[in-house]
């Protein structure tokens, strides 16, 4: 029923909308600024007090990054870990989530084992020692296996599998299918969109991983993109990193200043997230996967 | 059994048969469910090996653990390392920092998603609402390294914030990242920037379930916008707020390792070091495994007690609780 809105109502609406748009601007400005400076030229960045819009957009910083092998190698490594990690996570999570709806012997106990990890975690040091004892230190698998299953994702996926009508399992059982066949021929085909969503969430988590990388990888040649990014942007002055090399290079020749390189590095580390963001949004908008991204 | 009457013999026989057939039926059941277990076991092994074996590994908190002797052969020292927690002035300060940060987060960061959700809920233009949502959710998906990288670039001595303040107000540069006083405010602001939008989803989901006729009835009764929010919208998300508050209170000793670790530098170590980072510095970097584990275990047990306690407390007052 249409209701005539009072003037004060419309003013409230206006102020509300204004504040929300202002907030959106606050959220977006850092992206804009970082992008703008990453495309600015050496002279312009050095000679402008407050560079907000470069007159000339150049690729110097990006060219420099692509010429240095360190950053590109770390991106390659991280892409590999992200793909393999998401597949492993998806496989382990979906098989276990399915097994937990099949009323197997002792299933309440298995479910309890999963749920208890929500309220009590083992702690950093014992986990580290177990990962070490497993022989994973300095192996890329240390970024994939020890965090392979998120208990939260597991529970949400189990909930999703429960929403698939049980008659379908029963029909498959009557046709002589075993649990393995029900999983591969009934559950998986019916869950493709959900699996894609979980996979994307796992992938974002994997791409953004920093903690396990510094915990388990001591060898600098194995560092992932987030670790390198910290060296370049946050620590800045550490020897033997792109940033100090860039500073040296910038001093000796007319090469891009470290600031533009730092910002270009941030952009490169963020682009994959921006690419998958629309797909992610489509899924979490349904409210299915709250808080399932770590980091 | 000393005296056996015929009936008890009979009874024990049937019990025996029953047990045997139960044993057999368990075996048949396990066999029948073998494919289910085939799917269960990889995940189960994962949980046991990477979640429960480390839980048992906490035993090294009661030893002087030496990696060379292993946890079976290291010296047993009882509660020595736990006593150290309360004697060590550094740990006391770190616990203080942790609690202070959680207090600030609960007071300043926790309510923001609620307010933001209420604001978004009032937007009539659905397309505009969705657009704003996509923008405010985005930072959640960025890594902490990227977020703090951006913060570092913005707040550097010659960064855009200081340049702006200088041009606009003629102010001297502020060393945001080195001054201890700025550490906690920056941590809270970063959390707000990154997570405030994402935090609204759960409230908006709860609000989507509100029956629109409630609002219509309220309007007919002459309720103003604010009264509608107070009497309809807020009660609709009350349960959600309480559940999130329970979870938040249960994790007052968690600070988010990555964010703090990335923001810490020698200048801010005194005010910014929290339990999570302390465990890393002590246990991993200085290889004081037993002490690091003791601090971690202390943190875990306190967290467990807190969440169970707060949950019970909430239920006592007629709220739903988490479990």
């Amino acid at each position: 029923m249409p209701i005539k809105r009072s003037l004060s109502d419309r003013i409230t609406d206006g102020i509300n909308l204004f504040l929300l748009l202002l907030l959106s601007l606050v959220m977006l400005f850092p992206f804009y600024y970082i992008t703008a400076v990453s495309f600015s030229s050496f002279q312009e960045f050095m000679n402008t007090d407050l560079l907000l819009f470069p007159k000339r957009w150049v690729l110097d910083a990006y060219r420099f990054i692509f010429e240095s092998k360190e950053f590109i190698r770390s991106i390659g490594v991280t892409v590999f870990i992200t793909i393999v990690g998401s597949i492993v996570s998806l496989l382990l999570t979906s098989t276990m989530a399915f097994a937990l709806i099949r009323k197997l012997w002792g299933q309440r106990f298995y479910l309890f084992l999963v749920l208890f990890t929500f309220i009590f975690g083992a702690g950093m040091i014992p986990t580290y020692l177990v990962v070490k004892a497993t022989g994973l230190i300095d192996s890329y698998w240390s970024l994939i296996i020890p965090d392979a299953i998120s208990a939260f994702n597991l529970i949400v996926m189990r909930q999703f599998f429960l929403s698939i009508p049980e008659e379908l399992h029963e029909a498959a059982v009557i046709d002589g299918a075993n649990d393995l066949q029900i999983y591969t021929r009934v559950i998986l085909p019916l869950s493709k969109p959900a699996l894609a969503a979980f996979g994307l969430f796992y992938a974002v988590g994997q791409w953004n991983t920093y903690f396990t990388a510094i915990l388990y990888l001591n060898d600098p040649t194995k560092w992932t993109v987030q670790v390198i990014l910290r060296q370049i942007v946050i620590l800045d002055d550490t020897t033997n990193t792109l940033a100090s090399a860039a500073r040296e290079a910038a001093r000796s020749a007319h090469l891009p200043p470290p600031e533009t390189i730092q910002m270009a590095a941030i952009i490169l580390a963020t682009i994959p997230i921006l690419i998958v963001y629309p797909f992610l949004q489509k899924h979490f908008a349904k409210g299915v996967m709250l808080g399932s991204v770590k980091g | 059994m000393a005296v056996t009457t015929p009936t008890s013999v009979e009874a024990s026989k049937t019990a025996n048969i029953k047990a045997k057939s139960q044993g057999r039926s368990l075996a048949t059941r396990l066999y029948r469910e073998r494919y289910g277990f085939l799917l269960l076991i990889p995940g189960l092994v994962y949980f046991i090996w990477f979640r429960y074996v480390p839980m048992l590994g906490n035993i090294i908190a009661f030893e002087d653990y030496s990696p060379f002797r292993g946890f079976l052969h290291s010296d047993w020292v009882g509660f020595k390392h736990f006593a150290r927690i309360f004697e060590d002035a550094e740990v006391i300060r770190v616990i203080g920092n942790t609690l202070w940060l959680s207090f600030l987060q609960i007071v300043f960061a926790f309510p923001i998603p609620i307010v933001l959700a209420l604001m978004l809920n009032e937007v009539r233009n659905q397309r505009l609402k969705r657009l704003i949502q996509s923008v405010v959710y985005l930072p959640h998906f960025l890594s902490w390294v990227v977020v703090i990288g951006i913060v570092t670039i913005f707040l550097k001595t010659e960064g855009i914030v200081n340049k702006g303040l200088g041009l606009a107000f003629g102010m001297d540069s502020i060393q945001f990242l080195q001054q201890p006083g700025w550490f906690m405010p920056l941590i809270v602001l970063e959390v707000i920037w990154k997570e405030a939008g994402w935090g609204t989803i759960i409230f908006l989901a709860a609000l989507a379930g509100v029956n629109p006729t409630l609002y219509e009835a309220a309007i007919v009764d002459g309720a103003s916008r604010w009264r509608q929010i107070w009497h309809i919208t807020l009660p609709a998300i009350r349960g959600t707020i309480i559940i999130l508050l329970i979870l938040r209170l249960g994790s007052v000793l968690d600070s988010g390792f990555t964010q703090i670790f990335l923001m810490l530098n020698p200048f801010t170590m005194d005010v910014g070091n929290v339990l999570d980072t302390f465990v890393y510095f002590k246990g991993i970097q200085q290889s004081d495994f037993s002490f690091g584990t003791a601090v971690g275990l202390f943190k875990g047990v306190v967290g467990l007690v807190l969440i169970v306690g707060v949950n019970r407390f909430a239920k006592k007052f007629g709220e739903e609780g988490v479990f």
Side-chain angles (χ1 to χ4, degrees):
Chain A
M1 57 186 186
I3 291 163
K4 217 178 149 210
R5 294 165 55 210
S6 67
L7 180 67
S8 77
D9 228 23
R10 262 179 289 171
I11 292 176
T12 315
D13 269 339
I15 295 173
N16 185 36
L17 208 56
F18 173 75
L19 289 176
L20 283 172
L21 289 174
L22 197 70
L23 186 78
S24 307
L25 225 65
V26 170
M27 298 286 177
L28 285 179
F29 179 71
F31 291 98
Y32 166 73
Y33 178 71
I34 300 282
T35 313
V37 175
S38 75
F39 284 105
S40 68
S41 67
F42 175 76
Q43 293 84 356
E44 201 175 358
F45 182 77
M46 286 309 189
N47 299 331
T48 317
D49 242 0
L50 195 62
L51 185 67
L52 285 179
F53 192 81
K55 288 189 198 75
R56 224 159 51 80
W57 292 61
V58 294
L59 287 170
D60 293 359
Y62 292 91
R63 203 168 294 134
F64 185 86
I65 287 182
F66 280 102
E67 276 165 14
S68 87
K69 296 199 176 61
E70 196 185 18
F71 194 77
I72 298 310
R73 187 203 48 80
S74 81
I75 283 192
V77 163
T78 315
V79 166
F80 168 78
I81 293 171
T82 300
I83 293 171
V84 177
S86 310
I87 293 171
V88 169
S89 290
L90 216 47
L91 213 63
L92 283 172
T93 311
S94 62
T95 49
M96 191 175 187
F98 171 69
L100 286 176
I101 66 167
R102 288 304 288 165
K103 300 188 184 71
L104 300 174
W105 179 79
Q107 82 137 357
R108 285 169 67 94
F109 174 67
Y110 314 134
L111 201 58
F112 172 80
L113 280 184
V114 173
L115 291 173
F116 185 69
T117 61
F118 278 111
I119 57 171
F120 187 74
M124 184 192 301
I125 313 289
T127 308
Y128 170 82
L129 292 174
V130 167
V131 171
K132 197 172 169 188
T134 318
L136 294 178
I137 298 293
D138 268 337
S139 150
Y140 290 133
W141 292 104
S142 68
L143 306 187
I144 294 170
I145 305 289
D147 274 330
I149 303 182
S150 133
F152 184 89
N153 282 353
L154 178 69
I155 295 300
V156 178
M157 199 185 282
R158 176 174 175 271
Q159 222 59 40
F160 177 81
F161 288 161
L162 279 173
S163 71
I164 295 174
E166 219 182 328
E167 289 78 19
L168 290 173
H169 309 192
E170 281 161 15
V173 171
I174 291 167
D175 289 345
N178 60 41
D179 279 347
L180 196 62
Q181 287 162 327
I182 299 176
Y183 168 74
T184 52
R185 302 207 185 141
V186 180
I187 297 291
L188 288 189
L190 286 173
S191 321
K192 272 183 205 152
L195 290 174
F198 281 104
L200 279 178
F201 272 76
Y202 270 127
V204 171
Q206 201 62 261
W207 178 264
N208 284 342
T209 293
Y210 174 77
F211 173 53
T212 42
I214 58 156
L215 196 55
Y216 302 135
L217 299 181
N218 302 318
D219 182 354
T221 62
K222 294 204 163 123
W223 279 348
T224 59
V225 66
Q226 304 293 339
V227 182
I228 298 277
L229 193 63
R230 182 206 180 208
Q231 300 289 320
I232 297 173
V233 182
I234 303 174
L235 294 181
D236 191 351
D237 52 359
T238 315
T239 48
N240 218 6
T241 69
L242 200 60
S244 55
R247 186 150 287 143
E248 277 311 305
R251 233 175 258 139
S252 55
H254 281 282
L255 280 171
E259 283 76 8
T260 61
I261 291 172
Q262 291 176 341
M263 299 196 203
I266 286 182
I267 296 295
L268 289 176
T270 311
I271 281 177
I273 303 286
L274 296 179
I275 292 174
V276 298
Y277 183 63
F279 302 99
L280 279 171
Q281 212 195 0
K282 214 171 78 190
H283 293 289
F284 69 66
K286 291 175 197 152
V288 268
M289 319 216 342
L290 295 170
S292 51
V293 169
K294 62 177 177 175
Chain B
M1 218 184 279
V3 185
T4 48
T5 62
T7 44
S8 70
V9 171
E10 204 91 316
S12 78
K13 253 188 192 165
T14 45
N16 215 357
I17 292 167
K18 218 175 180 182
K20 256 189 194 163
S21 78
Q22 252 173 8
R24 205 174 300 138
S25 75
L26 176 62
T28 32
R29 181 169 176 193
L30 290 180
Y31 181 74
R32 201 178 57 232
E33 293 171 349
R34 63 190 182 283
Y35 288 107
F37 276 96
L38 189 70
L39 292 167
L40 176 74
I41 281 167
L44 199 59
V45 167
Y46 165 82
F47 268 92
I48 290 168
W49 186 252
F50 287 108
R51 306 288 169 115
Y52 282 90
V53 169
M55 249 181 241
L56 296 177
N58 274 311
I59 205 137
I60 67 170
F62 302 93
E63 298 174 340
D64 271 335
Y65 175 74
S66 145
F68 307 104
R69 296 167 73 183
F71 76 97
L72 286 177
H73 304 286
S74 294
D75 295 326
W76 187 263
V77 296
F79 284 91
K80 182 179 115 181
H81 297 293
F82 292 92
R84 270 172 78 191
I85 295 178
F86 301 102
E87 289 159 5
D88 193 329
E90 196 188 353
V91 187
I92 301 294
R93 200 187 52 233
V94 165
I95 293 175
N97 291 344
T98 310
L99 291 175
W100 177 235
L101 175 60
S102 273
F103 173 77
L104 294 174
Q105 301 275 31
I106 291 171
V107 171
F108 294 104
F110 184 82
I112 304 272
I114 303 172
V115 177
L116 194 55
L118 293 179
M119 288 170 74
L120 280 168
N121 193 49
E122 295 298 314
V123 176
R124 297 265 155 78
N125 184 334
Q126 289 306 309
R127 192 181 289 178
L128 203 56
K129 180 178 165 187
R130 268 201 297 276
L131 188 75
I132 297 171
Q133 280 176 297
S134 342
V135 172
V136 296
Y137 295 159
L138 181 60
H140 170 78
F141 295 94
L142 302 182
S143 71
W144 272 118
V145 180
V146 165
V147 172
I148 292 169
I150 293 174
V151 168
T152 307
I153 286 173
F154 270 61
L155 296 182
K156 280 201 278 203
T157 317
E158 69 282 15
I160 176 172
V161 172
N162 272 321
K163 272 186 184 165
L165 289 175
L167 287 175
F169 307 108
M171 286 167 69
D172 289 332
S173 282
I174 301 172
Q175 304 267 330
F176 289 101
L177 298 167
Q178 282 80 31
Q179 280 179 10
W182 277 101
F183 188 83
M184 291 291 180
L186 285 177
I187 295 285
V188 176
L189 283 172
E190 285 165 6
V191 167
I192 291 175
W193 188 78
K194 190 171 187 289
E195 306 296 346
W198 183 249
T200 62
I201 293 186
I202 191 162
F203 297 113
L204 291 172
L207 287 176
V210 178
N211 188 341
T213 56
L214 285 177
Y215 289 104
E216 285 162 16
I219 293 166
V220 171
D221 288 348
S224 70
R225 235 359 213 294
W226 299 103
R227 286 196 83 88
Q228 291 172 39
I229 291 177
W230 184 253
H231 289 292
I232 302 170
T233 317
L234 270 177
I237 54 173
R238 192 185 117 134
T240 313
I241 295 176
I242 288 168
I243 286 176
L244 289 182
L245 199 58
I246 294 174
L247 292 173
R248 189 65 193 80
L249 288 172
S251 60
V252 284
L253 294 186
D254 299 322
S255 313
F257 173 88
T258 307
Q259 184 198 8
I260 308 281
F261 178 80
L262 292 169
M263 284 289 286
L264 278 176
N265 57 49
F267 303 101
T268 51
M269 197 51 90
D270 277 350
V271 296
N273 201 4
V274 292
L275 280 170
D276 290 318
T277 44
F278 180 81
V279 169
Y280 176 79
F281 293 134
K282 270 282 181 249
I284 305 286
Q285 289 193 339
Q286 298 173 26
S287 297
D288 194 345
F289 294 111
S290 286
F291 187 45
T293 306
V295 175
L297 183 58
F298 166 76
K299 180 177 160 273
V301 170
V302 171
L304 179 67
V305 170
L306 275 176
I307 191 140
V308 173
V310 175
N311 192 53
R312 195 164 290 172
F313 186 79
K315 274 185 172 168
K316 212 171 182 175
F317 282 85
E319 299 298 342
E320 216 174 305
V322 182
F323 47 84

mmCIF file of all heavy atoms in Angstrom, chain B residues 47-62:
data_model
loop_
_atom_site.group_PDB
_atom_site.id
_atom_site.type_symbol
_atom_site.label_atom_id
_atom_site.label_comp_id
_atom_site.label_asym_id
_atom_site.label_seq_id
_atom_site.Cartn_x
_atom_site.Cartn_y
_atom_site.Cartn_z
ATOM 1 N N PHE B 47 41.639 -34.513 10.700
ATOM 2 C CA PHE B 47 41.280 -33.890 11.977
ATOM 3 C C PHE B 47 42.090 -34.477 13.124
ATOM 4 O O PHE B 47 42.547 -33.763 14.002
ATOM 5 C CB PHE B 47 39.778 -34.041 12.251
ATOM 6 C CG PHE B 47 38.998 -32.878 11.730
ATOM 7 C CD1 PHE B 47 38.450 -32.896 10.462
ATOM 8 C CD2 PHE B 47 38.847 -31.728 12.501
ATOM 9 C CE1 PHE B 47 37.747 -31.808 9.967
ATOM 10 C CE2 PHE B 47 38.153 -30.633 12.019
ATOM 11 C CZ PHE B 47 37.600 -30.667 10.745
ATOM 12 N N ILE B 48 42.266 -35.793 13.114
ATOM 13 C CA ILE B 48 42.999 -36.405 14.222
ATOM 14 C C ILE B 48 44.456 -35.956 14.199
ATOM 15 O O ILE B 48 45.007 -35.520 15.202
ATOM 16 C CB ILE B 48 42.879 -37.943 14.156
ATOM 17 C CG1 ILE B 48 41.437 -38.327 14.509
ATOM 18 C CG2 ILE B 48 43.859 -38.607 15.103
ATOM 19 C CD1 ILE B 48 41.091 -39.766 14.225
ATOM 20 N N TRP B 49 45.053 -35.974 13.006
ATOM 21 C CA TRP B 49 46.486 -35.694 12.941
ATOM 22 C C TRP B 49 46.809 -34.204 13.121
ATOM 23 O O TRP B 49 47.739 -33.848 13.827
ATOM 24 C CB TRP B 49 47.062 -36.216 11.625
ATOM 25 C CG TRP B 49 48.554 -36.085 11.560
ATOM 26 C CD1 TRP B 49 49.264 -35.213 10.803
ATOM 27 C CD2 TRP B 49 49.512 -36.837 12.320
ATOM 28 N NE1 TRP B 49 50.606 -35.364 11.026
ATOM 29 C CE2 TRP B 49 50.795 -36.357 11.955
ATOM 30 C CE3 TRP B 49 49.406 -37.863 13.263
ATOM 31 C CZ2 TRP B 49 51.962 -36.872 12.515
ATOM 32 C CZ3 TRP B 49 50.578 -38.374 13.809
ATOM 33 C CH2 TRP B 49 51.833 -37.876 13.438
ATOM 34 N N PHE B 50 46.044 -33.333 12.492
ATOM 35 C CA PHE B 50 46.412 -31.918 12.538
ATOM 36 C C PHE B 50 45.647 -31.105 13.591
ATOM 37 O O PHE B 50 45.971 -29.946 13.829
ATOM 38 C CB PHE B 50 46.241 -31.270 11.168
ATOM 39 C CG PHE B 50 47.305 -31.689 10.196
ATOM 40 C CD1 PHE B 50 47.003 -32.539 9.150
ATOM 41 C CD2 PHE B 50 48.612 -31.256 10.351
ATOM 42 C CE1 PHE B 50 47.982 -32.942 8.259
ATOM 43 C CE2 PHE B 50 49.597 -31.650 9.474
ATOM 44 C CZ PHE B 50 49.288 -32.499 8.417
ATOM 45 N N ARG B 51 44.604 -31.669 14.192
ATOM 46 C CA ARG B 51 43.871 -30.924 15.218
ATOM 47 C C ARG B 51 43.973 -31.585 16.594
ATOM 48 O O ARG B 51 44.058 -30.899 17.601
ATOM 49 C CB ARG B 51 42.389 -30.783 14.843
ATOM 50 C CG ARG B 51 42.141 -30.181 13.467
ATOM 51 C CD ARG B 51 42.458 -28.693 13.463
ATOM 52 N NE ARG B 51 42.456 -28.194 12.097
ATOM 53 C CZ ARG B 51 41.573 -27.300 11.642
ATOM 54 N NH1 ARG B 51 40.658 -26.828 12.446
ATOM 55 N NH2 ARG B 51 41.647 -26.889 10.395
ATOM 56 N N TYR B 52 43.910 -32.938 16.626
ATOM 57 C CA TYR B 52 43.870 -33.600 17.929
ATOM 58 C C TYR B 52 45.242 -34.052 18.425
ATOM 59 O O TYR B 52 45.518 -33.951 19.617
ATOM 60 C CB TYR B 52 42.860 -34.751 17.924
ATOM 61 C CG TYR B 52 41.462 -34.191 18.062
ATOM 62 C CD1 TYR B 52 40.720 -33.840 16.937
ATOM 63 C CD2 TYR B 52 40.923 -33.933 19.307
ATOM 64 C CE1 TYR B 52 39.468 -33.262 17.062
ATOM 65 C CE2 TYR B 52 39.673 -33.350 19.451
ATOM 66 C CZ TYR B 52 38.954 -33.021 18.325
ATOM 67 O OH TYR B 52 37.727 -32.427 18.455
ATOM 68 N N VAL B 53 46.111 -34.513 17.521
ATOM 69 C CA VAL B 53 47.469 -34.841 17.967
ATOM 70 C C VAL B 53 48.154 -33.589 18.526
ATOM 71 O O VAL B 53 48.737 -33.634 19.607
ATOM 72 C CB VAL B 53 48.287 -35.500 16.828
ATOM 73 C CG1 VAL B 53 49.758 -35.587 17.203
ATOM 74 C CG2 VAL B 53 47.738 -36.882 16.537
ATOM 75 N N PRO B 54 48.055 -32.414 17.854
ATOM 76 C CA PRO B 54 48.622 -31.212 18.463
ATOM 77 C C PRO B 54 47.983 -30.892 19.821
ATOM 78 O O PRO B 54 48.667 -30.405 20.721
ATOM 79 C CB PRO B 54 48.301 -30.113 17.455
ATOM 80 C CG PRO B 54 48.178 -30.809 16.161
ATOM 81 C CD PRO B 54 47.583 -32.149 16.492
ATOM 82 N N MET B 55 46.684 -31.199 19.976
ATOM 83 C CA MET B 55 46.054 -30.955 21.278
ATOM 84 C C MET B 55 46.765 -31.759 22.352
ATOM 85 O O MET B 55 47.060 -31.263 23.426
ATOM 86 C CB MET B 55 44.576 -31.336 21.215
ATOM 87 C CG MET B 55 43.640 -30.153 21.307
ATOM 88 S SD MET B 55 41.941 -30.716 21.260
ATOM 89 C CE MET B 55 41.367 -29.884 19.798
ATOM 90 N N LEU B 56 47.058 -33.034 22.023
ATOM 91 C CA LEU B 56 47.810 -33.857 22.973
ATOM 92 C C LEU B 56 49.225 -33.320 23.123
ATOM 93 O O LEU B 56 49.817 -33.404 24.193
ATOM 94 C CB LEU B 56 47.861 -35.318 22.507
ATOM 95 C CG LEU B 56 46.521 -36.052 22.426
ATOM 96 C CD1 LEU B 56 46.728 -37.457 21.877
ATOM 97 C CD2 LEU B 56 45.878 -36.105 23.806
ATOM 98 N N GLY B 57 49.736 -32.761 22.028
ATOM 99 C CA GLY B 57 51.091 -32.211 22.046
ATOM 100 C C GLY B 57 51.266 -31.100 23.061
ATOM 101 O O GLY B 57 52.388 -30.756 23.435
ATOM 102 N N ASN B 58 50.151 -30.538 23.528
ATOM 103 C CA ASN B 58 50.235 -29.509 24.562
ATOM 104 C C ASN B 58 50.929 -30.017 25.819
ATOM 105 O O ASN B 58 51.273 -29.234 26.696
ATOM 106 C CB ASN B 58 48.828 -29.007 24.922
ATOM 107 C CG ASN B 58 48.384 -27.897 23.983
ATOM 108 O OD1 ASN B 58 49.127 -26.951 23.747
ATOM 109 N ND2 ASN B 58 47.197 -28.028 23.436
ATOM 110 N N ILE B 59 51.115 -31.333 25.873
ATOM 111 C CA ILE B 59 51.785 -31.942 27.020
ATOM 112 C C ILE B 59 53.185 -31.334 27.222
ATOM 113 O O ILE B 59 53.684 -31.272 28.336
ATOM 114 C CB ILE B 59 51.857 -33.476 26.813
ATOM 115 C CG1 ILE B 59 51.961 -34.184 28.166
ATOM 116 C CG2 ILE B 59 52.998 -33.894 25.943
ATOM 117 C CD1 ILE B 59 51.103 -35.384 28.266
ATOM 118 N N ILE B 60 53.784 -30.841 26.142
ATOM 119 C CA ILE B 60 55.140 -30.285 26.289
ATOM 120 C C ILE B 60 55.125 -29.015 27.129
ATOM 121 O O ILE B 60 56.170 -28.550 27.566
ATOM 122 C CB ILE B 60 55.831 -30.017 24.932
ATOM 123 C CG1 ILE B 60 55.121 -28.906 24.175
ATOM 124 C CG2 ILE B 60 55.950 -31.280 24.117
ATOM 125 C CD1 ILE B 60 55.898 -28.430 22.962
ATOM 126 N N ALA B 61 53.935 -28.446 27.384
ATOM 127 C CA ALA B 61 53.864 -27.289 28.277
ATOM 128 C C ALA B 61 54.250 -27.681 29.700
ATOM 129 O O ALA B 61 54.612 -26.830 30.514
ATOM 130 C CB ALA B 61 52.462 -26.690 28.262
ATOM 131 N N PHE B 62 54.160 -28.995 29.996
ATOM 132 C CA PHE B 62 54.482 -29.462 31.349
ATOM 133 C C PHE B 62 55.893 -30.065 31.404
ATOM 134 O O PHE B 62 56.264 -30.705 32.367
ATOM 135 C CB PHE B 62 53.457 -30.506 31.803
ATOM 136 C CG PHE B 62 52.042 -29.984 31.785
ATOM 137 C CD1 PHE B 62 51.237 -30.161 30.668
ATOM 138 C CD2 PHE B 62 51.534 -29.297 32.883
ATOM 139 C CE1 PHE B 62 49.940 -29.666 30.645
ATOM 140 C CE2 PHE B 62 50.234 -28.800 32.862
ATOM 141 C CZ PHE B 62 49.436 -28.978 31.742
#
